[in-house]
Amino acid sequence: MKILVPVKRVVDYNVKVRVKSDNTGVETAGVKMSMNPFDEIAIEEAVRLKEKGVATEIIAVSMGVAACQETIRTALAMGADRGILVESDVDLQPLAVAKMLRAIVEKEGPKLVILGKQAIDDDMSATGQMLAALLGWPQGTFASKVTVEGDSMTVIREVDGGLETVVLNLPAIITTDLRLNEPRYASLPNIMKARKKTIDIVKPGDLGVDPTPRLVVIKVEEPPKRQAGRKVASVAELVDKLRNEAKVI
Amino acid sequence: MTALVLIDHEGGLLKQPSRSAVAAATKLGEVHVLVAGSGVQAAADAAARLPGVSKVILADAPAYANALAEPLAALIVALAPGYSHLMAATTANGKNVMPRVAAVLDSQPISDIAEVIDADTFVRPIYAGNAMATVKSSDAKKVITVRAASFDPVPNEGGSASIEAAPAVDMPAGSRWVSAELSKSERPELTAARVVVSGGRGMQNGDNFKLLDPIADKLGAAVGASRAAVDAGFVPNDYQVGQTGKIVAPELYIAIGISGAIQHLAGMKDSKVIVAINKDEEAPIFQVADYGLVADLFVALPELAAELERG
Ligand SMILES: Cc1cc2nc3c(=O)[nH]c(=O)nc-3n(C[C@H](O)[C@H](O)[C@H](O)COP(=O)(O)OP(=O)(O)OC[C@H]3O[C@@H](n4cnc5c(N)ncnc54)[C@H](O)[C@@H]3O)c2cc1C
Ligand SMILES: Cc1cc2nc3c(=O)[nH]c(=O)nc-3n(C[C@H](O)[C@H](O)[C@H](O)COP(=O)(O)OP(=O)(O)OC[C@H]3O[C@@H](n4cnc5c(N)ncnc54)[C@H](O)[C@@H]3O)c2cc1C
C-alpha cells in the first residue's frame, strides 16, 4: 500500500522566536527552518512500515513557499520515494491544507496518511483530524504505537490519563506523538540519492482549492514577560519565602 | 448567539478543564453543554448545576462510551445548526474531536484560545507561547478549543439547567475502542492541581521520583515531568508538561532537575509562583523562577520534605 506523509517546514525547535516590531507576525527572515519534528516521526514510521514490507511507496507532501522543497528533500533522504510540493505564498491554514491533502489522496489512493500531531509553529493540532473528516476515514491521533494487520490497524494513543488502544479499518489517518519512534538521521549516500528522486510541483488551484485564510491575524504580540526572581541560599530560606512572602504554602 | 460546549467527564464527575471552557463560553452568550457517553446521567445532572449553563444535551448510548472521535464528531455536527460557537477544552478529547467537526462544517478551527475579545476575535498562543496572536474568524460557525489554564473554571454548583435528550445520529463505522491503560493516582490531576511538583532528567531514574512523594503529599500537589523524564521511561506519558504535553498554571510550580527548555517553559510559565531546584546555576529555568535554589536535588529534596514536615 501507498503511504502519504505531509511534512511541514517550520522554524527550528531550537530557535527562540521573536515577534516583529510591527506586530504582524514573528521574525522568520534569516531564521533556521527545519522539518516539523512530529513529521520526522511520521516519515520514520512510514519508512519502518516499508522496511517491514507493509508499505510499497511513500509520498512526502509539503505545502507552502518554494523552499518547502528542502523539507521534502529531507523526507526523501530519510526514505520517502517521491515528493509533491503544493506551492503557495498564502498563509496556509489547516482547513485549506486538509482540503488540498484530500485532493491529493483522491488522486494517489494511499491507504494510510501519517501526519504530525501538531506543527510546532502554529500549534493548531488540527490538520490530521480535519483530513480524516473530509475523507470520512477513521483517525488514530497522538499515536505512540501502530501495528498494521491486513485491512486494519491497532493504534495505541497518548491521552490525558495515560494510554488508549483503538482499532481502525483502513484506509485511515494517523497523527504521531513523541514516543512513536526515534527518527533516523539521513546518511550521506541517502542524501545524495534523494537528489535524484522526483518532486512534482502543483498549485492550490490545480487541486481545486481556494487557500484564502479564514482566520485573519490582526496582530501578534509578545506575551507578558516574567521577571527572573532571586536565588535563595538554602532549603530553609526557600520554605520560609514560600510561606511568608509568596504565601503559597 | 448560543455556544455548545462538549464536556469531558469521568465516573459522573466533570473535568475541570471543561468548567474553564464553560467559563470562556459564558463570555459569548447563552451556553448549552453536551454530555455524551454510556450511563452518564450523573454527569448530566452535575453539568446541569454549572452556573451559566441553560441547557444540557444528554447523549446516552453505547456508541459514545469511550469518546471515539468519529461518533462524537457526527453528533456535534448534527447539533451544530442551533449554535454559533462549538467549543471544548483543549484536552486530548477536545483536540481529537473538534477539528473533525470543523472540517465537516467547512470552518477553520480556532485552537487553544487564551482570551475572548468578541464573538469572532480571539487570542491564542503560537510558537510555544512565545507569541500571542489575535485572530479574527470569518467562518459562520466558530469551532474552538479553550486553553483551560487561561480561564478560571465556573464553580461546580449554582445553576439549574434543563436536560434534554440528544437526537439519534447515524454512527460512522471504522473505528473500535479496545482498551485503556490509565495511570492510577490518588493525587489531583495535573491540569487542576493548585501545586505541581515536576521532575526532569536530573532525577536519573523512575525510583528517584519517589523522593517527590512526601513533598507532593504535604502540599497536595500533582506530580509532573519534563519530556526527557518521560522519554527515559521514569514516568508515564501523561506526566509530561510542556508545549506538546499538558499546559498547567498552578499557584505553585516546583521544577526539580529540569533545565528549562522552551518547550517545557511553554507548559508552565503562567504558573503564579515558580520554584527551581537545579545544580547548574546557569540553567535557563532560573530565568523564569521566582525562587531558585542551586543545589544537588538528592540533598535538597530530603531537606525540603523535612522542612515542610516541620510545618
Ligand atoms: C500569526 C500567524 C503567522 C503565520 N505566519 C506564517 C508564515 O509566515 N508562513 C507560513 O507559511 N505560515 C504562516 N502561518 C500559518 C501557520 O503556520 C500554519 O501553516 C497553518 O495554520 C497550519 O497550522 P498547523 O501547521 O499548526 O497545523 P497542525 O494541525 O498543527 O499540523 C499538523 C500536521 O499537519 C501537517 N501539515 C500542516 N500544515 C502543512 C503544510 N503546510 N504542508 C505539509 N503538511 C502540513 C503536518 O503533518 C503537521 O505535522 C501563520 C499563522 C499564524 C496564526
Ligand atoms: C517537538 C518537541 C517537543 C517537545 N515537547 C516538550 C514538552 O512538551 N515538554 C518538555 O518538557 N520538553 C519537551 N521537549 C524537549 C525539550 O526540548 C527538552 O529536551 C526537555 O524539556 C529537557 O528535559 P530536562 O530539563 O528534564 O532535561 P535536561 O535538559 O537534560 O536537564 C536536566 C537538568 O537537571 C539538572 N540536574 C542534573 N542532575 C541534577 C542534580 N543531581 N541536582 C539538581 N539538578 C540536576 C541539570 O543541571 C539540568 O539542568 C520537546 C522537544 C521537541 C523537539
Side-chain angles (χ1 to χ4, degrees):
Chain A
M1 69 175 179
K2 280 193 210 177
I3 300 182
L4 191 76
V5 183
V7 292
K8 185 177 182 193
R9 180 175 181 266
V10 300
V11 172
D12 187 83
Y13 79 95
N14 279 312
V15 173
K16 180 139 183 6
V17 300
R18 278 185 308 119
V19 171
K20 285 187 192 161
S21 51
D22 64 1
N23 293 115
T24 55
V26 303
E27 201 58 74
T28 49
V31 167
K32 183 176 182 215
M33 305 294 284
S34 300
M35 186 189 296
N36 182 36
F38 289 98
D39 302 351
E40 291 180 354
I41 298 174
I43 289 282
E44 177 66 34
E45 197 63 19
V47 173
R48 289 187 190 185
L49 287 170
K50 194 176 168 195
E51 287 168 349
K52 282 190 200 135
V54 175
T56 50
E57 189 184 30
I58 302 166
I59 308 167
V61 185
S62 194
M63 305 187 176
V65 294
C68 293
Q69 287 199 46
E70 293 163 20
T71 313
I72 299 177
R73 288 283 167 216
T74 306
L76 298 175
M78 288 175 72
D81 296 293
R82 62 188 168 94
I84 301 173
L85 168 67
V86 183
E87 196 179 338
S88 169
D89 290 333
V90 175
D91 164 18
L92 297 175
Q93 295 177 346
L95 181 62
V97 171
K99 286 180 181 173
M100 294 192 280
L101 287 173
R102 171 177 60 183
I104 292 172
V105 166
E106 282 165 355
K107 175 155 176 281
E108 297 284 350
K111 276 199 142 172
L112 186 58
V113 183
I114 311 181
L115 304 90
K117 85 159 175 181
Q118 82 194 56
I120 59 161
D121 50 358
D122 209 29
D123 289 336
M124 283 276 191
S125 198
T127 309
Q129 300 87 308
M130 298 184 79
L131 177 61
L134 294 178
L135 292 166
W137 291 6
Q139 67 191 42
T141 52
F142 326 139
S144 71
K145 190 167 192 309
V146 172
T147 323
V148 177
E149 302 120 341
D151 279 341
S152 69
M153 180 167 62
T154 301
V155 183
I156 300 182
R157 307 180 52 230
E158 293 199 1
V159 295
D160 289 342
L163 299 171
E164 177 182 275
T165 305
V166 294
V167 172
L168 310 177
N169 294 341
L170 295 176
I173 301 284
I174 294 292
T175 75
T176 60
D177 216 318
L178 294 167
R179 262 80 47 188
L180 183 58
N181 61 49
E182 223 174 285
R184 69 193 65 192
Y185 289 102
S187 66
L188 195 58
N190 285 340
I191 293 173
M192 302 305 284
K193 262 195 269 173
R195 294 201 186 146
K196 298 208 184 68
K197 296 181 180 174
T198 55
I199 298 179
D200 292 324
I201 300 178
V202 297
K203 301 271 181 202
D206 302 334
L207 301 172
V209 175
D210 171 5
T212 309
R214 303 288 187 87
L215 276 185
V216 177
V217 178
I218 295 180
K219 61 182 176 192
V220 176
E221 294 167 304
E222 296 266 355
K225 274 260 174 326
R226 231 193 142 90
Q227 296 299 325
R230 66 185 121 118
K231 299 263 168 56
V232 291
S234 66
V235 166
E237 186 188 349
L238 173 64
V239 171
D240 175 64
K241 294 284 186 228
L242 292 177
R243 284 209 175 109
N244 301 315
E245 189 176 86
K247 297 188 167 59
V248 283
I249 61 172
Chain B
M1 205 155 42
T2 309
L4 179 68
V5 181
L6 171 66
I7 299 287
D8 289 347
H9 55 86
E10 195 180 324
L13 300 174
L14 313 182
K15 298 279 188 171
Q16 177 167 322
S18 294
R19 290 193 284 119
S20 290
V22 169
T26 55
K27 297 180 187 293
L28 292 161
E30 196 177 341
V31 181
H32 296 178
V33 300
L34 171 62
V35 174
S38 183
V40 291
Q41 183 68 45
D45 292 341
R49 293 195 297 272
L50 295 177
V53 173
S54 61
K55 191 197 279 181
V56 177
I57 298 179
L58 171 59
D60 205 330
Y64 302 124
N66 298 294
L68 280 171
E70 296 81 3
L72 256 184
L75 172 64
I76 297 171
V77 167
L79 294 168
Y83 298 98
S84 56
H85 296 74
L86 301 161
M87 304 171 73
T90 313
T91 55
N93 189 34
K95 286 192 286 190
N96 195 31
V97 173
M98 298 313 279
R100 212 176 153 104
V101 171
V104 178
L105 299 175
D106 195 32
S107 173
Q108 164 60 42
I110 312 163
S111 304
D112 211 22
I113 62 164
E115 204 183 319
V116 174
I117 306 286
D118 62 36
D120 307 314
T121 316
F122 307 90
V123 178
R124 59 179 300 270
I126 54 174
Y127 292 94
N130 285 306
M132 303 299 286
T134 304
V135 295
K136 188 176 168 85
S137 166
S138 55
D139 287 315
K141 282 189 200 304
K142 313 319 178 209
V143 180
I144 293 170
T145 56
V146 176
R147 171 168 288 218
S150 301
F151 295 88
D152 286 334
V154 296
N156 270 312
E157 305 290 333
S160 58
S162 58
I163 301 182
E164 186 178 285
V169 174
D170 278 344
M171 291 297 169
S175 60
R176 183 163 56 83
W177 184 87
V178 179
S179 62
E181 193 186 310
L182 302 182
S183 305
K184 284 187 202 70
S185 171
E186 302 296 303
R187 302 196 187 287
E189 283 191 39
L190 260 179
T191 51
R194 200 186 68 81
V195 180
V196 173
V197 182
S198 287
R201 202 196 311 263
M203 298 298 292
Q204 288 180 6
N205 59 48
D207 250 5
N208 287 339
F209 262 77
K210 294 202 186 88
L211 292 170
L212 304 181
D213 286 343
I215 296 163
D217 286 344
K218 190 72 199 164
L219 298 174
V223 175
S226 70
R227 173 188 173 185
V230 176
D231 282 4
F234 302 171
V235 288
N237 64 284
D238 51 294
Y239 281 49
Q240 184 179 317
V241 171
Q243 179 188 13
T244 61
K246 294 198 171 111
I247 310 288
V248 303
E251 297 269 299
L252 174 60
Y253 188 90
I254 308 182
I256 298 161
I258 292 179
S259 61
I262 302 171
Q263 294 85 10
H264 189 79
L265 300 185
M268 44 64 80
K269 69 181 165 57
D270 293 332
S271 305
K272 192 157 154 251
V273 174
I274 297 174
V275 169
I277 302 179
N278 196 304
K279 67 176 180 190
D280 172 10
E281 64 176 317
E282 301 292 320
I285 189 77
F286 287 125
Q287 291 165 20
V288 298
D290 298 284
Y291 302 105
L293 177 64
V294 181
D296 186 323
L297 67 90
F298 296 104
V299 177
L301 288 180
E303 273 182 38
L304 180 57
E307 192 70 35
L308 290 171
E309 201 50 52
R310 242 201 310 272

